[in-house]
Amino acid sequence: MYIENIIQHIKQQQPLIHAITNYVTANDVANIILAIGASPIMADEVLEIEDITSMAQGLDVNLGTINQNRFAAIKKAGMTANQKHIPILLDPVGIGASRLRQQYVEELLEYIQFDVIRGNISEIKALYQHSKTKGVDANSIDQITKDNIEQVVCFVKEVAKTYHCIIAVSSAIDVIADEAKAYVIYNGHPMMSRITGSGCMLSGLCTAFMSVNQQEKLDAIALAFMCHGIAGEKAYERMENNHSGNATYRNDLIDAIYLMSIDDIKEKARYEIY
């Protein structure tokens, strides 16, 4: 993995990332895209969606606060991105929480080829096995541990093969895989689950990383996860030192991405390759 190249490409090219994300977290997603050196645009009006997507270098679509109009915009944006060879990430938030979300994702997969599908392990299982989830959070029985990591890696590779894309699973232990290779990443902090939008921000970050590193997308997504996890660790250190709370932690997380150095990544990244 050429860390310097991947990071430098973002800083130099400043890619435009079209994020159709949920309204709960849109501001945070925009800010973390800016923090890494890319440029966000947040548009979901179906009448302009083709124009907006066409000028972007990456498309991040998120089902967090889905409705019929937003779904129509996502579908049209995704089809436009495929036509223009613009990489796309799907964040199927809460897919197992309702039949509507499952139907929307199935329709998107029918019409659009995604480069990356990113979610928690329960969402990925719901995608693949049509199982239920408890809203947008991972079910406790689905937690990834050192004891079950090999089985999870095999499962994620199988899902990646089925959908012909990278599957990126965020958890206490992250797994990012295509059908042949997987990164298992141990960075991050439990405090990241105590703020709204950590996963949405990660999806925006992943889209920025892969948008300018299309020849090494798997490496780029894995590096985005490492940066996000390291930022979560650094933000918690600052939170403890300042005796602050979760709202400040969210800002410190974004700051840590902005201040992230190559040395930080080389010193703090903890991962294995399967």
Side-chain angles (χ1 to χ4, degrees):
M1 182 191 297
Y2 300 98
I3 294 173
E4 293 89 344
N5 291 351
I6 293 174
I7 297 287
Q8 286 171 2
H9 287 171
I10 300 173
K11 306 291 187 186
Q12 291 167 357
Q13 297 181 37
Q14 299 178 337
L16 181 66
I17 305 303
H18 182 193
I20 309 177
T21 191
N22 73 75
Y23 56 70
V24 177
T25 63
N27 185 62
D28 293 332
V29 173
N31 278 320
I32 208 160
I33 290 172
L34 285 168
I36 199 60
S39 179
I41 185 167
M42 327 294 278
D44 63 3
E45 170 51 61
V46 70
L47 296 177
E48 67 169 0
I49 208 76
E50 188 173 352
D51 291 338
I52 298 296
T53 301
S54 294
M55 65 182 185
Q57 282 74 59
L59 175 63
D60 168 24
V61 297
N62 176 303
L63 302 187
T65 48
I66 196 67
N67 55 51
Q68 290 183 350
N69 292 335
R70 179 166 288 193
F71 174 73
I74 287 174
K75 183 177 176 181
K76 190 170 184 179
M79 294 173 69
T80 300
N82 277 171
Q83 293 166 4
K84 303 288 184 180
H85 305 290
I86 297 165
I88 320 171
L89 179 145
L90 171 64
D91 189 341
V93 177
I95 178 177
S98 72
R99 287 190 297 272
L100 179 66
R101 289 172 186 265
Q102 188 79 46
Q103 291 165 5
Y104 277 167
V105 171
E106 289 173 3
E107 186 171 342
L108 291 175
L109 290 168
E110 180 180 353
Y111 286 93
I112 300 163
Q113 176 59 56
F114 293 97
D115 296 89
V116 179
I117 301 175
R118 191 217 67 81
N120 63 48
I121 186 63
S122 296
E123 288 166 343
I124 299 304
K125 284 187 174 182
L127 171 77
Y128 192 64
Q129 302 170 342
H130 292 207
S131 56
K132 287 288 185 180
T133 66
K134 59 165 224 175
V136 302
D137 297 321
N139 295 331
S140 58
I141 60 171
D142 288 334
Q143 292 302 313
I144 302 173
T145 67
K146 291 183 178 180
D147 292 334
N148 67 8
I149 191 63
E150 290 189 7
Q151 296 97 310
V152 173
V153 167
C154 289
F155 168 72
V156 175
K157 285 182 176 180
E158 180 182 333
V159 181
K161 183 177 181 179
T162 298
Y163 295 111
H164 307 290
C165 70
I166 294 165
I167 301 295
V169 182
S170 51
S171 178
I173 300 173
D174 302 318
V175 179
I176 301 92
D178 58 21
E179 64 178 273
K181 178 181 177 182
Y183 283 90
V184 175
I185 299 171
Y186 299 95
N187 291 109
H189 192 277
M191 189 65 199
M192 299 172 83
S193 66
R194 303 301 300 164
I195 60 171
T196 298
S198 177
C200 300
M201 286 188 275
L202 176 56
S203 290
L205 205 60
C206 287
T207 308
F209 272 73
M210 77 166 166
S211 70
V212 294
N213 296 283
Q214 294 194 48
Q215 300 307 310
E216 44 191 17
K217 289 175 189 169
L218 182 66
D219 290 348
I221 298 300
L223 183 58
F225 268 72
M226 292 175 203
C227 287
H228 188 250
I230 292 167
E233 294 166 5
K234 292 170 74 71
Y236 185 74
E237 291 174 7
R238 188 167 179 179
M239 176 183 167
E240 277 203 318
N241 291 337
N242 295 337
H243 305 289
S244 54
N246 65 335
T248 303
Y249 179 82
R250 179 196 60 198
N251 292 335
D252 288 341
L253 176 65
I254 296 171
D255 284 349
I257 291 293
Y258 181 82
L259 297 169
M260 188 74 60
S261 70
I262 302 300
D263 288 340
D264 284 332
I265 300 166
K266 289 182 175 179
E267 291 171 10
K268 297 180 182 297
R270 304 190 306 278
Y271 67 95
E272 297 176 306
I273 296 176
Y274 280 75

